[in-house]
PDB file of all heavy atoms in Angstrom:
ATOM      1  N   GLU A 149      29.529 167.382 191.092  1.00  0.00           N
ATOM      2  CA  GLU A 149      29.819 167.080 189.689  1.00  0.00           C
ATOM      3  C   GLU A 149      30.509 165.725 189.544  1.00  0.00           C
ATOM      4  O   GLU A 149      30.242 164.987 188.591  1.00  0.00           O
ATOM      5  CB  GLU A 149      30.669 168.190 189.086  1.00  0.00           C
ATOM      6  CG  GLU A 149      29.901 169.490 188.929  1.00  0.00           C
ATOM      7  CD  GLU A 149      30.759 170.656 188.474  1.00  0.00           C
ATOM      8  OE1 GLU A 149      31.954 170.440 188.142  1.00  0.00           O
ATOM      9  OE2 GLU A 149      30.243 171.785 188.454  1.00  0.00           O
ATOM     10  N   ALA A 150      31.357 165.373 190.501  1.00  0.00           N
ATOM     11  CA  ALA A 150      32.004 164.060 190.475  1.00  0.00           C
ATOM     12  C   ALA A 150      30.971 162.943 190.631  1.00  0.00           C
ATOM     13  O   ALA A 150      31.101 161.879 190.018  1.00  0.00           O
ATOM     14  CB  ALA A 150      33.058 163.968 191.571  1.00  0.00           C
ATOM     15  N   GLY A 151      29.949 163.176 191.436  1.00  0.00           N
ATOM     16  CA  GLY A 151      28.885 162.192 191.589  1.00  0.00           C
ATOM     17  C   GLY A 151      28.141 161.942 190.285  1.00  0.00           C
ATOM     18  O   GLY A 151      27.807 160.805 189.947  1.00  0.00           O
ATOM     19  N   VAL A 152      27.898 163.007 189.523  1.00  0.00           N
ATOM     20  CA  VAL A 152      27.243 162.846 188.218  1.00  0.00           C
ATOM     21  C   VAL A 152      28.154 162.066 187.276  1.00  0.00           C
ATOM     22  O   VAL A 152      27.694 161.165 186.558  1.00  0.00           O
ATOM     23  CB  VAL A 152      26.869 164.221 187.619  1.00  0.00           C
ATOM     24  CG1 VAL A 152      26.402 164.079 186.182  1.00  0.00           C
ATOM     25  CG2 VAL A 152      25.792 164.893 188.458  1.00  0.00           C
ATOM     26  N   GLN A 153      29.438 162.377 187.293  1.00  0.00           N
ATOM     27  CA  GLN A 153      30.380 161.652 186.422  1.00  0.00           C
ATOM     28  C   GLN A 153      30.454 160.175 186.811  1.00  0.00           C
ATOM     29  O   GLN A 153      30.555 159.302 185.940  1.00  0.00           O
ATOM     30  CB  GLN A 153      31.768 162.297 186.488  1.00  0.00           C
ATOM     31  CG  GLN A 153      31.822 163.675 185.880  1.00  0.00           C
ATOM     32  CD  GLN A 153      31.452 163.680 184.414  1.00  0.00           C
ATOM     33  OE1 GLN A 153      31.814 162.788 183.660  1.00  0.00           O
ATOM     34  NE2 GLN A 153      30.699 164.685 184.005  1.00  0.00           N
ATOM     35  N   LEU A 154      30.407 159.882 188.108  1.00  0.00           N
ATOM     36  CA  LEU A 154      30.394 158.497 188.570  1.00  0.00           C
ATOM     37  C   LEU A 154      29.156 157.770 188.055  1.00  0.00           C
ATOM     38  O   LEU A 154      29.241 156.634 187.581  1.00  0.00           O
ATOM     39  CB  LEU A 154      30.445 158.446 190.099  1.00  0.00           C
ATOM     40  CG  LEU A 154      30.327 157.066 190.723  1.00  0.00           C
ATOM     41  CD1 LEU A 154      31.581 156.246 190.434  1.00  0.00           C
ATOM     42  CD2 LEU A 154      30.086 157.173 192.208  1.00  0.00           C
ATOM     43  N   ALA A 155      28.011 158.423 188.114  1.00  0.00           N
ATOM     44  CA  ALA A 155      26.774 157.820 187.627  1.00  0.00           C
ATOM     45  C   ALA A 155      26.849 157.558 186.123  1.00  0.00           C
ATOM     46  O   ALA A 155      26.435 156.487 185.649  1.00  0.00           O
ATOM     47  CB  ALA A 155      25.590 158.725 187.949  1.00  0.00           C
ATOM     48  N   ILE A 156      27.388 158.502 185.374  1.00  0.00           N
ATOM     49  CA  ILE A 156      27.521 158.323 183.926  1.00  0.00           C
ATOM     50  C   ILE A 156      28.437 157.141 183.618  1.00  0.00           C
ATOM     51  O   ILE A 156      28.130 156.299 182.768  1.00  0.00           O
ATOM     52  CB  ILE A 156      28.031 159.615 183.262  1.00  0.00           C
ATOM     53  CG1 ILE A 156      26.948 160.695 183.323  1.00  0.00           C
ATOM     54  CG2 ILE A 156      28.461 159.369 181.827  1.00  0.00           C
ATOM     55  CD1 ILE A 156      27.417 162.070 182.906  1.00  0.00           C
ATOM     56  N   ALA A 157      29.552 157.058 184.328  1.00  0.00           N
ATOM     57  CA  ALA A 157      30.489 155.951 184.104  1.00  0.00           C
ATOM     58  C   ALA A 157      29.834 154.614 184.434  1.00  0.00           C
ATOM     59  O   ALA A 157      30.002 153.627 183.709  1.00  0.00           O
ATOM     60  CB  ALA A 157      31.744 156.150 184.939  1.00  0.00           C
ATOM     61  N   LYS A 158      29.074 154.580 185.521  1.00  0.00           N
ATOM     62  CA  LYS A 158      28.413 153.326 185.913  1.00  0.00           C
ATOM     63  C   LYS A 158      27.328 152.949 184.898  1.00  0.00           C
ATOM     64  O   LYS A 158      27.168 151.776 184.563  1.00  0.00           O
ATOM     65  CB  LYS A 158      27.831 153.478 187.309  1.00  0.00           C
ATOM     66  CG  LYS A 158      27.541 152.179 187.994  1.00  0.00           C
ATOM     67  CD  LYS A 158      27.593 152.369 189.496  1.00  0.00           C
ATOM     68  CE  LYS A 158      27.170 151.152 190.242  1.00  0.00           C
ATOM     69  NZ  LYS A 158      28.073 150.037 190.154  1.00  0.00           N
ATOM     70  N   LEU A 159      26.607 153.940 184.387  1.00  0.00           N
ATOM     71  CA  LEU A 159      25.577 153.656 183.386  1.00  0.00           C
ATOM     72  C   LEU A 159      26.187 153.202 182.061  1.00  0.00           C
ATOM     73  O   LEU A 159      25.594 152.406 181.333  1.00  0.00           O
ATOM     74  CB  LEU A 159      24.702 154.892 183.155  1.00  0.00           C
ATOM     75  CG  LEU A 159      23.720 155.225 184.278  1.00  0.00           C
ATOM     76  CD1 LEU A 159      23.127 156.604 184.076  1.00  0.00           C
ATOM     77  CD2 LEU A 159      22.634 154.176 184.390  1.00  0.00           C
ATOM     78  N   LYS A 160      27.380 153.677 181.736  1.00  0.00           N
ATOM     79  CA  LYS A 160      28.048 153.277 180.492  1.00  0.00           C
ATOM     80  C   LYS A 160      28.611 151.866 180.554  1.00  0.00           C
ATOM     81  O   LYS A 160      28.674 151.171 179.549  1.00  0.00           O
ATOM     82  CB  LYS A 160      29.208 154.229 180.179  1.00  0.00           C
ATOM     83  CG  LYS A 160      28.824 155.499 179.519  1.00  0.00           C
ATOM     84  CD  LYS A 160      30.089 156.297 179.221  1.00  0.00           C
ATOM     85  CE  LYS A 160      29.819 157.517 178.404  1.00  0.00           C
ATOM     86  NZ  LYS A 160      31.054 158.265 178.112  1.00  0.00           N
ATOM     87  N   THR A 161      29.037 151.435 181.737  1.00  0.00           N
ATOM     88  CA  THR A 161      29.804 150.195 181.829  1.00  0.00           C
ATOM     89  C   THR A 161      29.067 149.020 182.465  1.00  0.00           C
ATOM     90  O   THR A 161      29.547 147.898 182.368  1.00  0.00           O
ATOM     91  CB  THR A 161      31.095 150.429 182.638  1.00  0.00           C
ATOM     92  OG1 THR A 161      30.744 150.890 183.954  1.00  0.00           O
ATOM     93  CG2 THR A 161      31.985 151.454 181.960  1.00  0.00           C
ATOM     94  N   ASP A 162      27.953 149.257 183.108  1.00  0.00           N
ATOM     95  CA  ASP A 162      27.298 148.183 183.858  1.00  0.00           C
ATOM     96  C   ASP A 162      25.857 147.977 183.378  1.00  0.00           C
ATOM     97  O   ASP A 162      24.945 148.692 183.806  1.00  0.00           O
ATOM     98  CB  ASP A 162      27.323 148.527 185.356  1.00  0.00           C
ATOM     99  CG  ASP A 162      26.904 147.373 186.236  1.00  0.00           C
ATOM    100  OD1 ASP A 162      26.459 146.339 185.703  1.00  0.00           O
ATOM    101  OD2 ASP A 162      27.023 147.512 187.465  1.00  0.00           O
ATOM    102  N   PRO A 163      25.621 147.008 182.494  1.00  0.00           N
ATOM    103  CA  PRO A 163      24.255 146.794 181.987  1.00  0.00           C
ATOM    104  C   PRO A 163      23.275 146.345 183.074  1.00  0.00           C
ATOM    105  O   PRO A 163      22.084 146.649 182.992  1.00  0.00           O
ATOM    106  CB  PRO A 163      24.425 145.725 180.918  1.00  0.00           C
ATOM    107  CG  PRO A 163      25.785 145.177 181.064  1.00  0.00           C
ATOM    108  CD  PRO A 163      26.588 146.123 181.876  1.00  0.00           C
ATOM    109  N   ILE A 164      23.745 145.650 184.081  1.00  0.00           N
ATOM    110  CA  ILE A 164      22.868 145.248 185.189  1.00  0.00           C
ATOM    111  C   ILE A 164      22.385 146.485 185.940  1.00  0.00           C
ATOM    112  O   ILE A 164      21.220 146.602 186.306  1.00  0.00           O
ATOM    113  CB  ILE A 164      23.602 144.267 186.136  1.00  0.00           C
ATOM    114  CG1 ILE A 164      23.911 142.980 185.387  1.00  0.00           C
ATOM    115  CG2 ILE A 164      22.773 143.990 187.387  1.00  0.00           C
ATOM    116  CD1 ILE A 164      24.821 142.039 186.138  1.00  0.00           C
ATOM    117  N   PHE A 165      23.293 147.429 186.141  1.00  0.00           N
ATOM    118  CA  PHE A 165      22.946 148.680 186.811  1.00  0.00           C
ATOM    119  C   PHE A 165      21.934 149.478 185.980  1.00  0.00           C
ATOM    120  O   PHE A 165      21.015 150.091 186.522  1.00  0.00           O
ATOM    121  CB  PHE A 165      24.216 149.507 187.061  1.00  0.00           C
ATOM    122  CG  PHE A 165      23.977 150.771 187.804  1.00  0.00           C
ATOM    123  CD1 PHE A 165      23.671 150.757 189.149  1.00  0.00           C
ATOM    124  CD2 PHE A 165      24.075 151.992 187.153  1.00  0.00           C
ATOM    125  CE1 PHE A 165      23.455 151.931 189.840  1.00  0.00           C
ATOM    126  CE2 PHE A 165      23.867 153.174 187.834  1.00  0.00           C
ATOM    127  CZ  PHE A 165      23.552 153.139 189.181  1.00  0.00           C
ATOM    128  N   VAL A 166      22.093 149.452 184.661  1.00  0.00           N
ATOM    129  CA  VAL A 166      21.152 150.145 183.774  1.00  0.00           C
ATOM    130  C   VAL A 166      19.750 149.565 183.967  1.00  0.00           C
ATOM    131  O   VAL A 166      18.766 150.299 184.064  1.00  0.00           O
ATOM    132  CB  VAL A 166      21.608 150.041 182.299  1.00  0.00           C
ATOM    133  CG1 VAL A 166      20.530 150.544 181.357  1.00  0.00           C
ATOM    134  CG2 VAL A 166      22.905 150.805 182.082  1.00  0.00           C
ATOM    135  N   ASN A 167      19.643 148.233 184.040  1.00  0.00           N
ATOM    136  CA  ASN A 167      18.337 147.598 184.253  1.00  0.00           C
ATOM    137  C   ASN A 167      17.775 147.899 185.634  1.00  0.00           C
ATOM    138  O   ASN A 167      16.570 148.062 185.788  1.00  0.00           O
ATOM    139  CB  ASN A 167      18.432 146.089 184.039  1.00  0.00           C
ATOM    140  CG  ASN A 167      18.553 145.736 182.578  1.00  0.00           C
ATOM    141  OD1 ASN A 167      18.091 146.471 181.712  1.00  0.00           O
ATOM    142  ND2 ASN A 167      19.199 144.620 182.288  1.00  0.00           N
ATOM    143  N   GLN A 168      18.644 147.958 186.656  1.00  0.00           N
ATOM    144  CA  GLN A 168      18.185 148.266 188.013  1.00  0.00           C
ATOM    145  C   GLN A 168      17.577 149.657 188.101  1.00  0.00           C
ATOM    146  O   GLN A 168      16.624 149.873 188.836  1.00  0.00           O
ATOM    147  CB  GLN A 168      19.340 148.173 189.007  1.00  0.00           C
ATOM    148  CG  GLN A 168      19.775 146.782 189.341  1.00  0.00           C
ATOM    149  CD  GLN A 168      20.986 146.795 190.269  1.00  0.00           C
ATOM    150  OE1 GLN A 168      21.705 147.784 190.381  1.00  0.00           O
ATOM    151  NE2 GLN A 168      21.225 145.670 190.926  1.00  0.00           N
ATOM    152  N   THR A 169      18.140 150.600 187.378  1.00  0.00           N
ATOM    153  CA  THR A 169      17.681 151.984 187.469  1.00  0.00           C
ATOM    154  C   THR A 169      16.561 152.307 186.478  1.00  0.00           C
ATOM    155  O   THR A 169      16.110 153.444 186.426  1.00  0.00           O
ATOM    156  CB  THR A 169      18.858 152.948 187.229  1.00  0.00           C
ATOM    157  OG1 THR A 169      19.418 152.696 185.940  1.00  0.00           O
ATOM    158  CG2 THR A 169      19.909 152.801 188.300  1.00  0.00           C
ATOM    159  N   LYS A 170      16.117 151.311 185.717  1.00  0.00           N
ATOM    160  CA  LYS A 170      15.049 151.557 184.733  1.00  0.00           C
ATOM    161  C   LYS A 170      13.741 151.897 185.431  1.00  0.00           C
ATOM    162  O   LYS A 170      13.002 152.777 184.986  1.00  0.00           O
ATOM    163  CB  LYS A 170      14.874 150.332 183.845  1.00  0.00           C
ATOM    164  CG  LYS A 170      13.935 150.568 182.675  1.00  0.00           C
ATOM    165  CD  LYS A 170      13.774 149.324 181.824  1.00  0.00           C
ATOM    166  CE  LYS A 170      15.029 149.092 181.019  1.00  0.00           C
ATOM    167  NZ  LYS A 170      14.876 147.998 180.040  1.00  0.00           N
TER     168      LYS A 170
END
Side-chain angles (χ1 to χ4, degrees):
E149 291 174 7
V152 171
Q153 292 300 321
L154 175 70
I156 291 170
K158 199 154 174 69
L159 287 168
K160 278 183 173 181
T161 59
D162 191 353
I164 295 171
F165 183 72
V166 170
N167 286 333
Q168 286 176 340
T169 59
K170 188 181 287 187

